[in-house]
Structure formats: structure tokens, C-alpha cells
Amino acid sequence: MEGNQAGSSLDSLISSFNRRVSELQELVIARNMYPASSVPDLTAIDAALSSMELQVQSIKDRLREETEAIPKAKKLIEASLKQQEKLQKMSVYAPSHFPDKTTMLNSDINRCLLQENLKKHEQSFALRSLRSEEEASALPKEKKGRGSSPPLWYITVDELNSLSSYMRGRLTLEKVNAAINDMASYAEANAHLISAPKQKLAENLWEKALKLRDIVTMGAVKGKHFFLETDMKGPMLKLDNTGKAILTVLRHLGRVTETRIGQNRVIILIKPN
């Protein structure tokens, strides 16, 4: 309907323009006494008119194409509205939240790493326990107590989680249990210095051996595995803020106790309750 109206308007415009041109032709002829001299002017007007007619025809063709495209556009709009309605109905049954793929992937990775760390921890504990039993069976029967390898009483995840967040800080299960390995190494080295004869010790170790032999006679230390605060030289347990935090945690969980003998701060390994 709109296309027909636009076409009618253009036809009216062309008719009016043609009438105006005819009037101009008549006026030019009437004004010129010599009709032959007016031919070039009329030829130019005719050429301009032909050009304008071509432009008008082009406009009409374009308008006809747009008019023919209107039904297709209407069908496309109707199809879009139907699709929108279907999607709205489907959205009622869709979950309100989809888990992020990155979050799910990170969760799976963390779970795998945790299982792997626990497996390594259990294997390390089993190997150390086996090694301790083998070393204990190889010792002479008269050597008992401190003469055996120092115990390795690792902490568990539940024990670490039972601590307050302030006490736990940034400590992890791996760090604390690695520090327990270090403590066992310190205690084992001290036990060797106490029991080794002077001939088998280097000169720089003899003075420390004498100090340890004095400490081991004290009642709080006698028959127990221990090490000195000055022994804390790594690789995990060091005399720094992290090392002090680890000692606080282990003391709270009943793995160590401390005493001062002379100028020495002595850390004693004890069995947890």
C-alpha cells in the first residue's frame, strides 16, 4: 500500500515537471524571433530533462525493490519472535547458574595434587618407619632409649585444621612434617656426638660433644631425643619466624617440649598423647 502511494506521488511529480518544461519551451519559442537559434537551448533542456527522467526511473526501481522486500522482512521478524518465545519457555527449565569451567578445572587439579601429596606422605612415612625398624634391629641389645633412631611422629590434616587460623598462619602439612624430619636429623646427629668416642670426632665437634654430654645428664633430658635451638639450620626448620611458628604448633600438638639448661634452649621430642 505504501509503495503504491509513493509510486503515484512520483508519477504526479513527473507529470508536473513535464508540463513545466512544455511551458518553458513555448515561452522560449515565443520570445525568440528566430526559432532556428532556439534549437540549441531546447536541445540542452531536453538533455537535462532526459537525465532527470532516468534518475526518477532509478528511484522508482529502487522503491519497487524495497517494496518487494517488505514481506520478506515481515516473515523474518515473525520467525525471530517465535524463536524468542521458544527460548523464553526453555529458560524456565534451565538452571539459574552454570559452574565456571575454570573453577571446575582448578578444583579437579587441587584434588589430584592433594591426593598425590597424601600418597607421597604415606610412602615417606612408611619408608622412614621401615628404616627406623631396621636400624633399631641392627643396634646392640644394650643400647636402648636414645640409642635408637629418633621417632617421627608426623601430624595429620585434622590436627593442623584443629589449630586456630592465627596459630596456623601460612603453615602447611608438608612444611610441618618436613620440619619433623629435620628435628629427627638434628636429634640423631646429637645422639651420635654423645655416644661416639673422642678418637672418631673432629676437633671442631669435640666441644659440642662435651656440651651435649653435660646436657644429657639432666633429668628433663635423660633418655630422650633432643636438639638445641642452635641446631636449627634447615633445610626446612630454621631459626626464623617460620621455624618459631612451626615449634609453637608442634609444642601445642604435643610433639615437642622445651627446657633451658644453662644458656642452651633444648627442644625435646616427645610422643603425642
Side-chain angles (χ1 to χ4, degrees):
M1 180 65 71
E2 293 177 357
N4 294 332
Q5 291 177 354
S8 299
S9 299
L10 286 174
D11 291 337
S12 299
L13 177 63
I14 292 172
S15 299
S16 299
F17 188 75
N18 290 333
R19 286 196 301 272
R20 182 61 175 166
V21 170
S22 298
E23 292 174 358
L24 288 174
Q25 288 176 343
E26 292 174 358
L27 288 172
V28 170
I29 293 171
R31 187 184 65 179
N32 200 328
M33 295 178 62
Y34 302 96
S37 63
S38 64
V39 172
D41 294 334
L42 293 175
T43 302
I45 293 174
D46 185 64
L49 180 60
S50 298
S51 177
M52 293 182 64
E53 288 177 346
L54 291 174
Q55 292 181 0
V56 171
Q57 185 62 39
S58 177
I59 293 173
K60 291 178 68 176
D61 293 340
R62 181 63 178 174
L63 183 60
R64 185 177 63 255
E65 292 175 358
E66 296 291 340
T67 303
E68 292 174 353
I70 289 176
K72 297 180 181 180
K74 289 182 177 179
K75 291 181 179 180
L76 181 61
I77 293 173
E78 292 176 358
S80 299
L81 292 175
K82 290 180 180 179
Q83 184 66 20
Q84 182 181 2
E85 185 178 357
K86 290 181 180 179
L87 292 175
Q88 289 176 347
K89 292 180 179 179
M90 293 172 62
S91 65
V92 176
Y93 303 98
S96 60
H97 173 71
F98 289 95
D100 186 19
K101 291 184 178 179
T102 304
T103 304
M104 295 176 64
L105 180 60
N106 291 336
S107 177
D108 293 339
I109 292 174
N110 291 335
R111 184 166 59 251
C112 292
L113 290 176
L114 179 60
Q115 292 176 354
E116 184 178 353
N117 289 335
L118 289 175
K119 186 177 180 180
K120 288 181 179 179
H121 173 66
E122 292 174 356
Q123 291 176 350
S124 176
F125 180 78
L127 288 174
R128 285 190 169 274
S129 299
L130 181 60
R131 189 184 304 168
S132 299
E133 292 176 1
E134 292 176 353
E135 291 177 355
S137 61
L139 291 173
K141 292 183 178 181
E142 63 272 15
K143 290 188 178 181
K144 297 180 180 179
R146 192 179 59 253
S148 60
S149 297
L152 289 168
W153 289 305
Y154 295 112
I155 69 169
T156 63
V157 177
D158 293 337
E159 286 180 308
L160 185 63
N161 292 336
S162 67
L163 302 173
S164 63
S165 58
Y166 175 79
M167 180 179 294
R168 185 171 61 249
R170 296 184 179 180
L171 296 179
T172 63
L173 185 69
E174 290 77 12
K175 286 183 179 180
V176 178
N177 285 335
I180 291 176
N181 289 335
D182 289 350
M183 293 191 301
S185 300
Y186 304 154
E188 188 173 10
N190 289 340
H192 175 70
L193 291 177
I194 292 171
S195 60
K198 182 178 180 180
Q199 295 81 2
K200 294 185 178 182
L201 295 177
E203 293 184 7
N204 60 334
L205 296 177
W206 179 242
E207 184 177 353
K208 182 178 180 180
L210 292 177
K211 179 170 64 176
L212 293 173
R213 291 176 186 186
D214 290 337
I215 292 174
V216 79
T217 59
M218 301 298 174
V221 181
K222 191 172 182 179
K224 300 177 181 177
H225 295 282
F226 68 93
F227 63 93
L228 306 181
E229 185 181 51
T230 54
D231 293 331
M232 296 168 56
K233 298 179 181 179
M236 176 57 67
L237 188 62
K238 299 179 182 179
L239 195 56
D240 55 11
N241 291 335
T242 301
K244 292 176 182 178
I246 291 174
L247 284 180
T248 300
V249 168
L250 293 177
R251 185 169 58 249
H252 182 80
L253 296 176
R255 297 305 195 274
V256 298
T257 184
E258 299 176 13
T259 186
R260 181 169 290 277
I261 298 177
Q263 297 180 351
N264 301 294
R265 184 184 178 193
V266 183
I267 296 94
I268 304 167
L269 308 183
I270 59 175
K271 184 177 182 180
N273 297 327

